[in-house]
Amino acid sequence: MPTRIVVSGLAKSFVMHLQGGVELPVVSNVDFSVESGECVVLGGPSGAGKSSILKMVYGNYGADGGQILIRDGDRLVDVAAAAPRRIIRLRESTIGYVSQFLRVVPRVSALDVVAEPLVARGVDRDTARARAGAMLDRLNVPRRLFDLPPATFSGGEQQRVNVARGFVTDHPILLLDEPTASLDAGNRSVVVSLIAEKKAAGVAMLGIFHDEEVRSAVADRIVDVAAFRIAA
Amino acid sequence: MNALPPTAATVAHDTPAYNFAYLDEQTKRMIRRAILKGIAIPGYQVPFASREMPMPYGWGTGGVQVTAAVLGPDDVLKVIDQGADDTTNAVAIRGFFRKTAGVRTTTHTAEATVIQTRHRIPEAPLAEHQILVYQVPIPEPLRFLEPRETETRTMHALEEYGLMHVKLYEDIARHGHIATTYAYPVKVDGRYIMDPSPTPKFDNPKMHRSKALQLFGAGREKRIYAIPPHTDVVSLDFEDHPFKVQTFAQPCALCAAEGVYLDEVLLDDKGGRMFVCSDTDNCEERRAAGHRGALAGDDISRKDRS
Amino acid sequence: MSALAALPESGEEKPLLHVSKLSHWYGERLGCRDVSFDVYPGEVVAIVGESGSGKTTLLNCLAGRLRPTAGVVEYLMRDGRARNVLSLTEAERRFLARTDWGFVHQNPSDGLRMTVSAGANVGERLMAIGDRHYGTIRETALDWLGRVEIASDRIDDEPRAFSGGMRQRLQIARNLVTRPRLVFMDEPTGGLDVSVQARLLDLLRSLVTDLGLAAIIVTHDLAVARLLSHRMLVMKNGVVVEQGLTDRLLDDPRHAYTQLLVSSILQV
């Protein structure tokens, strides 16, 4: 199984210029890797920097040092150093992300929110919408909501739209930031089985799960982020 | 009046103190230079130092200055206003040049060497030895849509003429056809878009490869432009809405002419009307040659009463 | 850095617009200084910053509407050659501006002909490049009005009779009808109601995606930047203080000014 993500020597701190330039160290010397077909879970207490690591891997946060090597087809790309549009292309082709909260786009229907990443990857709109509908069905989103923009949905419904959007594509790498946080037991188990299917398909996953039950169901390994807490 | 040599102050002694054709020689030279430049660049509006003339703007100050600059003592001048030789403006300008230049005047198109016109081109084809001088109120065809002179000049310079079709588009969108019936824009010599002055579009084809030199003078706007003889003049249009001239359902009521531009004349307040030649000279000559229209030779008022 | 990671991308495409060391001074006063960045085909770049930060000066320099004091702006022409925009003749620049470029003004009346119909506003660029078939022009205009959600029965109305949002949508259609590859936008949603803004943003977003447009959008509204742009330049006092991936700049701002901007967003 090829290695999809290799993180080494990664470091991150925040400099708060509005608070007199105080520096908040987050993590340093982060080292781990994720293989194809495995789900690695970042563990540790809240505030340990799990989410920051996930966001750095996605390119959403900048890194202060170290490398984040991502296998993109037959190339390796260092997200920590890549140009913005390289990262954008990487997100289209390789890295999917399920965030905690749905960022709502005005007027776009739930179905199109889910279909959008497929369209961006070149799937034709009808096929994309059909696959999006199937995914929403699986996550028990009522069909009457498909054509409505999710802005007015409940937190759980929005989260499911978000999960559907993340899982609908066949990105070889998937980053999961608390995808089950506000789901009921039934939908949590849908997500667990979605993750199992992704594993079987060889997708490398890196995630954060606070829910003990889900974590133990999906995690192949747990990387303890507390160990990276400013080792120096 | 007899022809006199073209030197200063040679007009008959009953017209004191005027130089030949009113304008001083330097001014006429300046205008001639503008005319020559205009001829060299067909359709291009040449700025010139328009003078105050003894008539209000809108009465042909531009045309009169051009006429004054090209007129020689041997010329025979015809002046028409809306095709007619007998309207106030035409009569006054003829009188003006008779007085200040002592030139012979005429109403016969064939006889004239210089024809100053407002809003018409004579029906009879013009010849090489003739000059047609147009009075122009607004020389800039793009002005309708683009008020900035700096911008319209740039558009001419760069041949950016899409805007002209916007005007024609608007016509079709609003009326179902190109409803512009006068001052219909033309392209001269394949280069400049030109406003032919407010002549009816009926006259546009007459400008195309005309044997006569055509000069345009706009006094208030201080522009002169020209179409040299035998120059291509093409009316703008769309492929699916080609340029067409007006047609008239009936011939001239006086001379029975067809294929000429007719004026509608109201006869009473009960809807009585007749259509007669706009070109009065053409009409008179046809009648003299024996052509008779439906109302020709009758006492119109009596016939109407009956 | 490992040798593998440092491998250059093969078949790297050329930037559509290449800006290098661009500066503009209004006499003694600085407009913008030493701005450098590239825009690639299909990429949307937002220029953000407060009023007076030099955003619009920069945009006008890029679009050839203002001659910069120093610097280079290169544009990749349709024939694949990069040309310095500043050394184009006026005729070439104007031709570029009405075919391969678009410019969307904040105030629609600056970009529209207010006294001719909506259809003619859209059709003007077509006529300017030599389209001479009324039926085709009108059909294309109708198609574009539809795309910007203006009812077809408004085609013969003048923009004077349109609401602000409609006018802005009409301006967009007028610009896009020649399928430009690069569109400059100066506060395209400025001065519109929030709901109207949302509709316009959504429309812009889908048009940009569907047509693969590259765009440079000047805005002071970070939400607009987030929604529409891939990359962002943050300007302050005429200088670009930070640039990069839009979501990274908004979620992990580094420069003090960017942090201030981000922290000043009202949360709803």
Side-chain angles (χ1 to χ4, degrees):
Chain A
M1 283 295 194
T3 306
R4 298 247 177 231
I5 306 174
V6 180
V7 176
S8 56
L10 191 63
K12 172 76 186 164
S13 60
F14 290 112
V15 179
M16 315 299 278
H17 291 285
L18 302 182
Q19 278 123 50
V22 59
E23 187 173 339
L24 300 179
V26 183
V27 288
S28 63
N29 293 317
V30 180
D31 289 292
F32 66 89
S33 63
V34 184
E35 308 283 307
S36 177
E38 107 179 305
C39 180
V40 172
V41 173
L42 298 173
S46 74
K50 303 186 294 289
S51 197
S52 292
I53 292 174
L54 208 61
K55 284 174 172 166
M56 281 190 280
V57 173
Y58 195 56
N60 178 226
Y61 279 8
D64 295 340
Q67 280 189 330
I68 304 161
L69 297 183
I70 299 289
R71 179 175 295 278
D72 180 28
D74 53 2
R75 289 207 193 85
L76 286 181
V77 179
D78 181 5
V79 172
R85 46 187 221 103
R86 188 70 189 85
I87 293 175
I88 288 168
R89 212 181 314 148
L90 206 59
R91 289 174 181 179
E92 273 170 20
S93 65
T94 306
I95 311 179
Y97 190 87
V98 185
S99 61
Q100 219 165 334
F101 303 103
L102 180 66
R103 192 172 286 285
V104 188
V105 176
R107 289 211 312 167
V108 180
S109 72
L111 195 64
D112 284 327
V113 167
V114 177
E116 197 173 50
L118 287 174
V119 174
R121 283 162 68 76
V123 178
D124 77 83
R125 202 168 281 277
D126 289 341
T127 315
R129 295 183 108 226
R131 279 171 63 182
M135 189 56 86
L136 285 170
D137 275 342
R138 232 183 127 177
L139 285 154
N140 305 304
V141 175
R143 292 202 164 192
R144 62 187 161 78
L145 297 183
F146 282 16
D147 291 326
L148 302 177
T152 53
F153 292 8
S154 71
E157 284 161 350
Q158 289 198 6
Q159 171 96 29
R160 278 179 277 152
V161 170
N162 208 24
V163 169
R165 180 181 160 94
F167 280 93
V168 78
T169 60
D170 46 8
H171 284 110
I173 295 173
L174 210 47
L175 307 177
L176 309 166
D177 189 356
E178 300 267 22
T180 57
S182 45
L183 297 186
D184 57 33
N187 283 310
R188 270 202 305 274
S189 66
V190 174
V191 173
V192 170
S193 56
L194 282 172
I195 292 174
E197 287 164 30
K198 289 284 180 195
K199 271 192 213 177
V203 175
M205 280 169 286
L206 178 64
I208 303 170
F209 297 91
H210 279 142
D211 185 299
E212 196 75 48
E213 198 184 322
V214 175
R215 180 168 38 184
S216 54
V218 301
D220 294 303
R221 278 189 295 133
I222 293 181
V223 172
D224 186 7
V225 171
F228 307 134
R229 187 101 191 139
I230 309 303
Chain B
M1 232 168 266
N2 293 326
L4 293 166
T7 49
T10 52
V11 178
H13 22 267
D14 59 332
T15 54
Y18 285 124
N19 189 30
F20 179 78
Y22 184 76
L23 292 174
D24 63 272
E25 292 305 307
Q26 287 300 327
T27 297
K28 285 192 278 184
R29 286 172 73 176
M30 175 273 292
I31 294 172
R32 286 178 200 134
R33 280 195 295 271
I35 291 171
L36 284 173
K37 184 169 179 181
I39 292 169
I41 316 170
Y44 171 72
Q45 299 166 45
V46 185
F48 81 109
S50 178
R51 296 295 195 250
E52 282 298 316
M53 298 303 285
M55 58 176 68
Y57 286 133
W59 288 65
T61 54
V64 162
Q65 290 179 76
V66 170
T67 298
V70 299
L71 212 55
D74 297 329
D75 274 316
V76 181
L77 179 67
K78 171 183 162 84
V79 182
I80 50 174
D81 177 2
Q82 305 270 20
D85 294 274
D86 53 2
T87 54
T88 311
N89 198 212
V91 171
I93 292 173
R94 272 203 307 275
F96 175 77
F97 282 113
R98 258 201 317 270
K99 189 168 185 180
T100 60
V103 294
R104 203 151 66 79
T105 58
T106 181
T107 59
H108 299 303
T109 302
E111 231 174 69
T113 56
V114 176
I115 303 170
Q116 182 172 333
T117 176
R118 174 175 175 270
H119 299 193
R120 275 310 310 281
I121 298 175
E123 302 291 356
L126 301 179
E128 263 103 354
H129 68 282
Q130 293 179 307
I131 299 177
L132 188 57
V133 177
Y134 296 76
Q135 301 171 201
V136 180
I138 298 168
E140 181 47 72
L142 300 164
R143 183 66 70 239
F144 171 76
L145 293 162
E146 178 50 69
R148 291 167 297 177
E149 174 73 13
T150 48
E151 182 64 12
T152 52
R153 283 209 208 184
T154 307
M155 292 163 116
H156 281 295
L158 302 179
E159 230 178 320
E160 286 179 7
Y161 288 136
L163 199 55
M164 208 65 251
H165 274 85
V166 169
K167 182 177 187 294
L168 302 180
Y169 172 97
E170 286 293 85
D171 263 7
I172 304 172
R174 277 174 217 290
H175 308 289
H177 61 274
I178 299 178
T180 301
T181 51
Y182 63 93
Y184 191 104
V186 293
K187 187 168 229 180
V188 179
D189 198 25
R191 175 59 179 85
Y192 282 93
I193 298 283
M194 192 194 88
D195 184 329
S197 85
T199 51
K201 68 175 178 181
F202 181 88
D203 286 339
N204 275 18
K206 295 178 189 158
M207 309 177 89
H208 180 57
R209 297 187 184 167
S210 166
K211 289 178 182 170
L213 170 64
Q214 304 174 76
L215 302 176
F216 299 77
R220 178 176 37 208
E221 301 286 327
K222 302 175 173 53
R223 294 288 183 276
I224 284 172
Y225 49 102
I227 305 174
H230 308 290
T231 303
D232 282 347
V233 178
V234 179
S235 303
L236 303 184
D237 60 3
F238 285 102
E239 289 158 16
D240 48 344
H241 287 268
F243 173 78
K244 279 200 291 265
V245 298
Q246 298 99 320
T247 53
F248 297 88
Q250 41 192 304
C252 171
L254 298 179
C255 75
E258 292 182 30
V260 297
Y261 194 73
L262 301 180
D263 284 337
E264 183 179 8
V265 179
L266 294 183
L267 300 175
D268 51 40
D269 57 2
K270 296 191 286 290
R273 63 193 60 198
M274 65 195 275
F275 287 89
V276 296
C277 281
S278 143
D279 184 338
T280 53
D281 173 55
N282 190 56
C283 199
E284 280 161 17
E285 283 184 8
R286 282 178 55 81
R287 275 179 285 159
H291 296 284
R292 281 285 176 276
L295 300 178
D298 294 342
D299 183 328
I300 294 161
S301 52
R302 197 172 34 171
K303 180 190 166 83
D304 190 52
R305 239 176 269 127
S306 62
Chain C
M1 178 111 2
S2 93
L4 254 180
L7 269 180
E9 301 284 341
S10 59
E12 198 69 0
E13 55 188 344
K14 287 194 248 175
L16 193 61
L17 194 76
H18 169 70
V19 183
S20 172
K21 297 262 174 205
L22 193 78
S23 300
H24 187 75
W25 295 85
Y26 296 99
E28 292 286 291
R29 206 160 50 77
L30 177 68
C32 59
R33 196 179 69 212
D34 274 348
V35 178
S36 301
F37 66 100
D38 291 335
V39 181
Y40 287 85
E43 199 175 36
V44 180
V45 176
I47 304 173
V48 304
E50 59 201 11
S51 349
S53 60
K55 309 185 296 278
T56 299
T57 297
L58 175 59
L59 192 74
N60 284 332
C61 284
L62 298 178
R65 302 165 66 84
L66 192 62
R67 191 162 184 87
T69 316
V72 175
V73 180
E74 273 181 1
Y75 182 70
L76 191 69
M77 307 298 258
R78 281 191 195 247
D79 64 7
R81 286 188 309 135
R83 297 273 312 269
N84 188 349
V85 172
L86 308 175
S87 61
L88 294 178
T89 63
E90 192 180 6
E92 289 174 316
R93 188 181 58 70
R94 287 172 63 115
F95 182 76
L96 196 63
R98 64 168 188 266
T99 54
D100 217 18
W101 285 1
F103 197 105
V104 176
H105 297 263
Q106 172 171 10
N107 184 351
S109 62
D110 292 341
L112 290 173
R113 292 196 189 277
M114 298 302 279
T115 57
V116 306
S117 68
N121 263 289
V122 177
E124 182 176 344
R125 272 178 166 231
L126 298 174
M127 294 181 247
I129 56 174
D131 222 323
R132 290 291 176 265
H133 193 282
Y134 173 82
T136 318
I137 293 166
R138 195 168 170 84
E139 216 169 278
T140 313
L142 271 173
D143 175 46
W144 274 98
L145 290 179
R147 287 181 192 223
V148 298
E149 302 173 14
I150 293 175
S152 55
D153 63 359
R154 304 301 301 269
I155 187 171
D156 294 330
D157 293 348
E158 293 176 8
R160 283 191 291 202
F162 286 5
S163 68
M166 275 174 83
R167 288 179 185 182
Q168 197 56 295
R169 296 200 302 275
L170 179 62
Q171 192 191 180
I172 288 164
R174 172 177 161 88
N175 270 282
L176 297 188
V177 67
T178 50
R179 298 286 184 139
R181 292 184 301 155
L182 178 61
V183 180
F184 302 95
M185 302 189 199
D186 189 3
E187 302 276 10
T189 58
L192 298 176
D193 292 346
V194 182
S195 60
V196 176
Q197 243 189 50
R199 181 178 186 184
L200 187 73
L201 280 174
D202 173 41
L203 186 76
L204 276 176
R205 197 170 148 275
S206 47
L207 284 174
V208 163
T209 317
D210 293 350
L211 302 172
L213 286 178
I216 299 176
I217 302 176
V218 159
T219 179
H220 65 273
D221 186 340
L222 295 182
V224 170
R226 162 97 71 181
L227 202 58
L228 291 180
S229 72
H230 298 113
R231 269 195 305 129
M232 209 164 91
L233 273 66
V234 182
M235 288 192 78
K236 181 175 169 44
N237 298 334
V239 176
V240 174
V241 295
E242 191 171 1
Q243 60 171 305
L245 210 54
T246 297
D247 63 86
R248 188 186 295 186
L249 252 61
L250 292 173
D251 295 340
D252 183 17
R254 303 240 161 166
H255 190 275
Y257 180 68
T258 317
Q259 290 186 356
L260 176 69
L261 267 187
V262 171
S263 67
S264 309
I265 304 175
L266 291 175
Q267 299 290 336
V268 182

